[in-house]
Amino acid sequence: MSTEMSPQTTTGTNAGPQGKPRVVIIDDTADLRDLLRLALQRGGLEVVGEAADGRAGIDLVRETLPDLVLLDLSMPVLDGMTALPEIRALVPAAKIVVLSGFDALQLAERAVAAGADAYLQKGMPLHRMLARIREVMEGRAAPAAPSPGTVPPARYDALALAPFGVLEVDGIPPYRVISLNASARDLLPAGTGPGTPLPVASPALAELLATSTRLDDGPFDARIGEQDSQVTVRSTPGSHYLYFEPRGDEVGVLRTAIATTAHEIRGPVAVLSALAETISEASSEVPLDDEQQLRLVASIARQARMLDSITSDLLTAAQIQRGALRVAPTITDPRSVVETTVDDRHLDRTVRLEVMDIRKVVADPLRLGQMLGNLLGNAHKYGRPPVVVRIRAAGEDGMVAIDVEDAGDGVPSEFRDQLFREFTRASGTSAAGTGLGLHVVQTLALAQDGRVDYTAADGGGSVFTITLPAAD
């Protein structure tokens, strides 16, 4: 296992023929970057570099000065919306096309209003993405952002029937109410209607809009009327939509769980669809070479394992609820399980393993791999490299500890007592998740006579520690 970190940027070293548009891809999904690179190169464009986050992307654009930038909006370190103005200033004549998820179209529209030339929805067929990019490069009209405050009437009808509160306010303080549905009226003070200043209707929501810098990340916690509620904000160029429902509503919790799980599943499914399209459309005139085929096959395996991880957590959560959870502890080498998990997830260039205790543990190796996979996944979603897995003696006799440490911002102190609850995520996190991973880790640890703990790392970051019985 390598001890080196994966580079944040990759710069093309073989320049294509002069006259080809030069492209930089900025997206935190390596398999999607690979597919886009292949599609663009086969379509006659030259990919001069890739980056996995907005900060590295800005540096890469400064270095390469491309003609086209493909910019993901949701990324770690620095998101695409924040990086957009600086990228536009570096390459004022370049075309910038933002990449949006299925549920981020309003954010994409805001990016267009802020200077992007167009947006592409992730999951659309690659040939359509390439055709859209050609249109943008040829200067054909890009989709305009909607006029401030305008939403198709059908959408208002749907929102009016929603079983949770929906409130639209304008984009300028004091954020006057534009519209609200019946569920929102039930939670807000009597008389709240179009024209009401948001501080009058809900001081908590007004403060949220005024002080939060990453509104589209959500969800946030806020006191609305007499209820503790969970709030999600979606912004358009001229207004903000606030979606909220009281906490403790089991149906609401289930809706949130379904939505976040669907979001997690759609990413791998979109990449797998694009992989299938790429392989099926490879012609005898432009065949895939051996290296490209191997990379695509590796991508299929990686995305399939991501889906397997999500479904494994769902199944485990269901077993926990039914009292049907089973584990099969045996004498297990934790180092071997760590190495297998890291290799399966293709994280060998971003994870450092430190073995300070060579004892084996009594644990179910498959369940231990599931636990480590969840913790490593969280470290890469919510933290920053370097990620270190450390096997050491625990503080008490007869126990072995396995630390998973990252160098991110750590878990907010106000959220730490909720970390291991089912279907919970910290407010304002920039990555999606099912809210099941840590709950599953804790339950599996307890089922194997162990435990899992969280501590803040020295200098920032998170340390999650699995403690298990030693085998000798």
Side-chain angles (χ1 to χ4, degrees):
M1 185 184 304
S2 169
T3 61
E4 299 297 322
M5 288 189 301
S6 176
Q8 290 298 303
T9 62
T10 302
T11 303
T13 56
N14 299 317
Q18 285 193 345
K20 283 188 176 182
R22 302 167 72 253
V23 188
V24 160
I25 304 170
I26 308 173
D27 192 289
D28 64 337
T29 303
D31 288 334
L32 182 57
R33 293 199 308 269
D34 202 29
L35 281 169
L36 288 172
R37 174 188 280 271
L38 181 59
L40 292 166
Q41 289 174 336
R42 292 165 69 87
L45 289 82
E46 179 191 359
V47 178
V48 296
E50 303 173 16
D53 64 76
R55 176 54 58 198
I58 290 170
D59 295 338
L60 183 58
V61 169
R62 182 182 292 109
E63 175 188 348
T64 58
L65 300 177
D67 305 300
L68 170 67
V69 178
L70 298 183
L71 177 66
D72 187 19
L73 292 180
S74 178
M75 294 181 291
V77 182
L78 189 72
D79 63 78
M81 185 65 72
T82 306
L84 175 60
E86 192 165 346
I87 291 174
R88 173 54 74 200
L90 288 170
V91 284
K95 301 294 185 181
I96 300 176
V97 177
V98 297
L99 305 173
S100 71
F102 294 86
D103 60 348
L105 290 182
Q106 288 181 331
L107 190 61
E109 291 163 352
R110 187 152 61 98
V112 171
D117 293 283
Y119 61 80
L120 298 175
Q121 183 173 319
K122 291 183 179 180
M124 70 188 302
L126 280 176
H127 70 274
R128 285 179 54 198
M129 294 180 74
L130 190 58
R132 191 78 186 100
I133 288 169
R134 287 198 184 102
E135 291 178 2
V136 174
M137 295 303 294
E138 292 168 6
R140 298 186 226 174
S147 302
T150 62
V151 176
R155 180 162 183 195
Y156 273 121
D157 292 340
L159 296 183
L161 299 174
F164 47 85
V166 182
L167 177 69
E168 183 190 12
V169 298
D170 62 29
I172 303 172
Y175 307 114
R176 294 185 182 275
V177 173
I178 296 175
S179 65
L180 70 166
N181 69 354
S183 296
R185 290 182 189 276
D186 290 341
L187 291 171
L188 296 172
T192 299
T196 302
L198 189 57
V200 174
S202 172
L205 291 178
E207 182 180 5
L208 175 63
L209 286 182
T211 60
S212 299
T213 58
R214 296 171 63 89
L215 290 173
D216 292 276
D217 288 343
F220 303 91
D221 292 326
R223 184 79 174 173
I224 302 176
E226 300 301 317
Q227 299 277 358
D228 291 323
S229 299
Q230 189 174 65
V231 182
T232 302
V233 182
R234 293 291 178 260
S235 300
T236 69
S239 65
H240 299 291
Y241 284 86
L242 297 99
Y243 305 84
F244 49 90
E245 56 189 336
R247 282 198 172 277
D249 177 359
E250 291 188 3
V251 175
V253 170
L254 180 59
R255 280 197 299 267
T256 301
I258 292 172
T260 54
T261 302
H263 183 277
E264 285 288 276
I265 290 173
R266 282 187 302 200
V269 167
V271 175
L272 286 169
S273 297
L275 285 162
E277 178 188 348
T278 300
I279 294 170
S280 65
E281 292 188 355
S283 63
S284 57
E285 293 82 11
V286 191
L288 295 169
D289 61 34
D290 290 345
E291 180 187 356
Q292 290 170 336
Q293 290 183 38
L294 288 174
R295 280 170 26 208
L296 294 181
V297 170
S299 294
I300 290 171
R302 195 157 42 241
Q303 296 299 319
R305 275 191 286 269
M306 289 177 63
L307 286 174
D308 181 66
S309 176
I310 296 168
T311 55
S312 292
D313 282 351
L314 290 170
L315 177 59
T316 302
Q319 292 171 335
I320 293 168
Q321 290 293 332
R322 296 198 308 267
L325 180 65
R326 296 290 182 269
V327 295
T330 186
I331 296 177
T332 300
D333 181 3
R335 176 175 188 152
S336 176
V337 177
V338 172
E339 290 177 338
T340 299
T341 304
V342 168
D343 290 342
D344 281 349
R345 289 176 172 253
H346 295 262
L347 299 172
D348 56 303
R349 298 177 62 197
T350 61
V351 175
R352 185 172 75 247
L353 174 60
E354 298 178 356
V355 180
M356 305 165 67
D357 188 332
I358 63 172
R359 288 180 296 171
K360 292 181 171 58
V361 297
V362 180
D364 183 326
L366 294 178
R367 295 299 195 179
L368 180 55
Q370 182 179 1
M371 296 158 70
L372 287 167
N374 280 337
L375 295 183
L376 287 168
N378 280 358
H380 283 81
K381 280 182 185 179
Y382 305 110
R384 285 190 294 273
V387 175
V388 179
V389 179
R390 185 180 302 106
I391 303 173
R392 60 178 176 81
E396 59 265 43
D397 292 338
M399 304 294 283
V400 173
I402 306 172
D403 298 326
V404 178
E405 179 177 345
D406 67 69
D409 296 327
V411 176
S413 57
E414 65 273 13
F415 183 72
R416 291 175 188 173
D417 64 344
Q418 305 176 50
L419 260 178
F420 300 103
R421 294 181 187 173
E422 192 177 21
F423 299 128
T424 57
R425 291 176 57 236
S427 298
T429 51
S430 60
T434 62
L436 283 173
L438 291 178
H439 172 68
V440 165
V441 172
Q442 182 189 55
T443 304
L444 290 176
L446 293 172
Q448 297 173 88
D449 295 325
R451 66 176 189 275
V452 61
D453 301 289
Y454 168 83
T455 55
D458 293 338
S462 297
V463 182
F464 286 91
T465 302
I466 301 170
T467 304
L468 294 168
D472 51 35

